[in-house]
Amino acid sequence: MNKISIIGAGMTGSTAAHWLAERELADLVLVDVVEGMPQGKGLDMAEAMPIIGRDAKVIGTNDYAATRDSEIVIITAGVARKPGMSRDDLLKTNAEIVGKAALETLKHSPNAIFVVLTNPLDTMAYLTMKMTKLPRERVIGQAGILDSARMRAFVAMETGVSVENIHCYVLGGHGDEMVPLTRHSNIAGIPLREYLSADKLEAIVNRTRKGGGEIVNLLKTGSAYYAPSMACVQMAEAILKDKKLIVPCAAYMDGEYGLKDMYFGVPVMLGGGGMERIIQYDFDEEEKVMFAKSAASVKETHEALKSLVKF
Ligand code: APR
């Protein structure tokens, strides 16, 4: 059995464990700073396995030693922004949490591939790569699958067509400036721009951009976790099964799309080696402008990180 360690046993981490165990994709270790909580969730999940006939072993712990020899490490540890906390305060706090999680797990799993979910996502993936000094293939940020899935869900709600027929591609940073590529999106091969009126498409694009905020406003406490965790399950499965799956993820840019030394949401190929290839799309002028705006916003957060944290 493969082994996946999930750092941060909160809503996203424990839900990811739930989906992964149900699919019997790996043995799972949940790590959290809170004492007892990861142990309780791990034991509870382990006790569910006989009912569904799955032999995934699930444990929770406060000790990184239990993560030894993991093939994949998923980082969801972090805090949400609290009242009175500036963006920089949040950045610093989450950078400390994610940096420690990455280095501690790397000690015990020197060959692991890292999937980062903690926000601000692109910047936390950048930090993880810089701290661990791993090649870019082995540090991937989750966001594009989630943002694209939200757009697909909204298109399905609007059209009544199966989600399986709906293909949407959302690139760029995981924020309000993300880049939904309507020109490349389609329903069973029919371009989305032909299937939906311009007004309806624009409404879907706007709702996609604000998709995370919509859930936060509804939940009142906390943020989305079902779709984010399912997105990282798809990434883990593609890696463990060496699927060569092309999906949008945050990857380290080394000249691709004219971007350098930053993480950004682009189509990548996921396989046994992690992020094996970056796929280049041809953009039209409008898409180039949106892409550049989103990149500038992510770069700004990267620069803020560099002024706050040494690596
Ligand atoms: N080490 C391990 N776990 C930690 C640490 C740490 N140093 N600091 C905090 N945690 C844990 C918290 O105890 C909590 O259980 O991280 C967990 C975060 O879980 P939630 O607060 O439930 O947050 P969640 O909704 O899961 O989101 C986690 O993913 O999608 C992103 O924006 C989201 O950055 C957030 C992250």
Side-chain angles (χ1 to χ4, degrees):
M1 194 69 136
N2 290 302
K3 180 168 173 181
I4 298 181
S5 289
I6 302 176
I7 318 306
M11 300 310 288
T12 310
S14 59
T15 310
H18 176 177
W19 298 120
L20 287 162
E22 200 183 353
R23 293 171 166 220
E24 215 174 36
L25 278 173
D27 288 336
L28 297 153
V29 179
L30 281 163
V31 181
D32 204 285
V33 272
V34 178
E35 283 180 24
M37 182 271 277
Q39 289 87 342
K41 287 190 178 182
L43 182 59
D44 192 11
M45 237 177 276
E47 289 167 359
M49 292 303 111
I51 305 172
I52 54 168
R54 297 286 186 267
D55 285 309
K57 294 186 188 70
V58 192
I59 61 157
T61 178
N62 308 114
D63 181 1
Y64 279 91
T67 65
R68 197 159 67 93
D69 294 335
S70 298
E71 274 83 22
I72 298 179
V73 173
I74 298 174
I75 301 182
T76 74
V79 297
R81 199 158 143 203
K82 298 188 186 79
M85 199 178 195
S86 72
R87 272 184 199 280
D88 278 357
D89 290 342
L90 177 75
L91 191 60
K92 195 159 193 283
T93 306
N94 278 353
E96 278 160 13
I97 293 171
V98 170
K100 178 168 183 258
L103 290 177
E104 285 296 317
T105 39
L106 185 68
K107 259 193 243 165
H108 300 284
S109 302
N111 300 316
I113 291 170
F114 286 72
V115 174
V116 182
L117 273 86
T118 306
N119 274 312
L121 185 275
D122 306 89
T123 304
M124 290 301 124
Y126 180 77
L127 170 89
T128 301
M129 184 183 149
K130 293 288 172 184
M131 298 278 281
T132 57
K133 302 191 171 37
L134 286 174
R136 69 174 182 171
E137 289 76 15
R138 287 176 49 199
V139 181
I140 317 160
Q142 181 292 123
I145 298 175
L146 167 67
D147 296 327
S148 304
R150 283 186 174 142
M151 186 165 167
R152 292 170 67 194
F154 300 148
V155 172
M157 289 171 201
E158 179 62 42
T159 60
V161 175
S162 164
V163 291
E164 287 192 79
N165 287 134
I166 299 171
H167 308 283
C168 296
Y169 303 93
V170 180
L171 307 185
H174 185 48
D176 295 349
E177 313 285 0
M178 67 180 73
V179 186
L181 289 181
T182 55
R183 194 167 61 94
H184 300 73
S185 302
N186 67 80
I187 300 182
I190 305 165
L192 211 49
R193 288 178 178 186
E194 287 175 22
Y195 208 102
L196 288 170
S197 69
D199 285 358
K200 287 204 167 125
L201 193 49
E202 195 188 336
I204 286 172
V205 163
N206 286 336
R207 192 172 177 194
T208 302
R209 287 185 197 277
K210 299 188 179 100
E214 183 177 3
I215 307 269
V216 168
N217 289 338
L218 289 166
L219 291 178
K220 310 274 187 316
T221 55
S223 51
Y225 52 94
Y226 288 115
S229 58
M230 195 42 122
C232 83
V233 170
Q234 187 181 40
M235 293 169 73
E237 184 172 21
I239 294 165
L240 292 177
K241 294 185 177 170
D242 191 24
K243 281 175 80 85
K244 316 293 185 199
L245 181 75
I246 298 177
V247 276
C249 292
Y252 183 78
M253 299 287 107
D254 191 18
E256 295 84 2
Y257 291 99
L259 302 173
K260 243 186 143 43
D261 193 35
M262 65 181 288
Y263 265 74
F264 204 53
V266 292
V268 302
M269 183 181 280
L270 295 182
M275 194 285 292
E276 295 184 352
R277 248 175 74 193
I278 292 177
I279 314 294
Q280 294 259 170
Y281 281 7
D282 278 334
F283 288 153
D284 64 18
E285 286 312 309
E286 189 192 351
E287 289 156 358
K288 276 186 196 157
V289 170
M290 287 195 293
F291 209 72
K293 198 169 164 202
S294 178
S297 156
V298 171
K299 195 81 184 174
E300 205 177 292
T301 315
H302 279 26
E303 292 307 320
L305 174 82
K306 286 192 217 165
S307 68
L308 293 166
V309 182
K310 291 240 171 318
F311 46 75

